[in-house]
Amino acid sequence: MLLTIDLDSDVPIYQQIRDRVVEAIADGELREGSALPSTRQLAADLAINFHTVNKAYDLLRRQNVIRINRKSGAVVRRDAASGPPGPGFADDWEPRLRTLFAEAAVHGMDPQEVLRRSAGVLDSFAPRRETPV
Amino acid sequence: MLLTIDLDSDVPIYQQIRDRVVEAIADGELREGSALPSTRQLAADLAINFHTVNKAYDLLRRQNVIRINRKSGAVVRRDAASGPPGPGFADDWEPRLRTLFAEAAVHGMDPQEVLRRSAGVLDSFAPRRETPV
DNA sequence: TCATCTGTTCTATTACTTATATATCAGATA
DNA sequence: TATCTGATATATAAGTAATAGAACAGATGA
């Protein structure tokens, strides 16, 4: 199974699918250019409605993570992670980092442990492909 | 103004209030034991319904960030950030860290820059109060 | 050619969430 | 006493999440 979801979670299913796909790309399980399952196929595998998968894929497309062609289906964008992030991305991303870290701080997690776990997560990701010469 | 919200955001208002309060605590703007505005007062300041503030405060209470007494109102918990975080907290927190970092990676943010920004956010927080002797 | 699978689009329904609006009550306060 | 507070109840309007069924056109492989 490429992807698992939790129907009991309060995170919407389409959001879980988006998150799992993004994580699979970061982990290197999904390479750039590789195809995702068809919406109907993934919906059948997950035993959910194909409209829900459609919504997740559309979200990934709007976030420039995948491309969707009528011909080749949903494909991980080759240029999603090439070059520096768009200028607007960090402006949207860092406040969310700040909120997440504040939550850890308030619950008593030591700053050093936050950094340790952060480094651990980053180490678990696949190394960036070298820019072709 | 203790707190500002964005009515145009797709983040629910009660969630924004929760996030801002958590951040204010991490920043040291809200000390442990200090009181939050009354629900009606904050609602008036923000020009929103007091039920929305009520929902935010109730969320903060269920997440053990504040205490609510009929007498003293909403107060930042003294023991929210004392001692190590509950064992279940990290299990809930780290997957969200992983999702956020995966998003950065997919959008081409360098792991070193992720770490740099992480350290920067942690540095912006107020130092933990020393455990009384 | 034919059957099938694909993405795309449309309408519809159910259940839940978000935010608002009133109203009431009891305890605390000045 | 008048006022502010938290707490609780009900109601409503708008939006979201997920489901369901249907239809169409392009692509695919037998």
Side-chain angles (χ1 to χ4, degrees), chain B residues 22-67:
Chain B
V22 167
E23 288 162 16
I25 296 173
D27 286 340
E29 297 168 26
L30 275 177
R31 313 271 307 246
E32 300 179 1
S34 62
L36 272 62
S38 76
T39 54
R40 284 179 173 89
Q41 184 59 54
L42 183 54
D45 289 351
L46 299 176
I48 59 174
N49 194 278
F50 86 94
H51 284 109
T52 306
V53 179
N54 224 334
K55 189 170 181 176
Y57 280 15
D58 188 60
L59 184 57
L60 286 162
R61 182 188 57 76
R62 283 186 282 118
Q63 293 176 340
N64 289 324
V65 176
I66 63 176
R67 285 186 187 280

Side-chain angles (χ1 to χ4, degrees), chain B residues 97-113:
Chain B
L97 176 71
R98 188 174 167 75
T99 302
L100 188 66
F101 276 15
E103 195 172 328
V106 166
H107 284 85
M109 190 181 288
D110 196 80
Q112 281 198 320
E113 187 178 353

Side-chain angles (χ1 to χ4, degrees), chain A residues 26-73:
Chain A
D27 286 340
E29 298 169 24
L30 276 177
R31 314 271 305 245
E32 300 178 2
S34 62
L36 271 62
S38 76
T39 53
R40 285 179 173 89
Q41 183 60 54
L42 183 54
D45 288 352
L46 299 176
I48 59 174
N49 195 277
F50 86 95
H51 285 109
T52 306
V53 179
N54 224 334
K55 189 171 182 177
Y57 280 14
D58 188 61
L59 184 58
L60 286 163
R61 183 189 56 77
R62 283 187 281 117
Q63 293 175 341
N64 289 324
V65 176
I66 64 176
R67 285 186 188 281
I68 307 180
N69 305 316
R70 187 181 288 272
K71 196 160 187 173
S72 38

Side-chain angles (χ1 to χ4, degrees), chain A residues 7-127:
Chain A
L7 293 177
D8 292 332
S9 169
D10 51 352
V11 179
I13 299 176
Y14 77 92
Q15 183 76 41
Q16 292 185 49
I17 295 175
R18 188 217 76 118
D19 291 348
R20 294 301 88 74
V21 168
V22 167
E23 289 162 15
I25 295 174
D27 286 340
E29 298 169 24
L30 276 177
R31 314 271 305 245
E32 300 178 2
S34 62
L36 271 62
S38 76
T39 53
R40 285 179 173 89
Q41 183 60 54
L42 183 54
D45 288 352
L46 299 176
I48 59 174
N49 195 277
F50 86 95
H51 285 109
T52 306
V53 179
N54 224 334
K55 189 171 182 177
Y57 280 14
D58 188 61
L59 184 58
L60 286 163
R61 183 189 56 77
R62 283 187 281 117
Q63 293 175 341
N64 289 324
V65 176
I66 64 176
R67 285 186 188 281
I68 307 180
N69 305 316
R70 187 181 288 272
K71 196 160 187 173
S72 38
V75 169
V76 179
R77 272 184 61 141
R78 293 196 176 275
D79 52 352
S82 68
F89 175 76
D91 294 342
D92 168 73
W93 184 83
E94 186 156 329
R96 288 188 281 146
L97 176 71
R98 188 173 168 75
T99 303
L100 188 65
F101 276 14
E103 195 173 328
V106 166
H107 284 86
M109 191 181 288
D110 197 80
Q112 281 198 320
E113 187 179 354
V114 172
L115 266 190
R116 188 183 62 77
R117 287 178 185 266
S118 298
V121 167
L122 289 173
D123 280 347
S124 76
F125 290 161

Side-chain angles (χ1 to χ4, degrees), chain B residues 11-19 52-53 55-57 59:
Chain B
V11 180
I13 299 175
Y14 76 92
Q15 184 76 40
Q16 292 186 49
I17 295 175
R18 190 218 76 118
D19 291 347
T52 306
V53 179
K55 189 170 181 176
Y57 280 15
L59 184 57

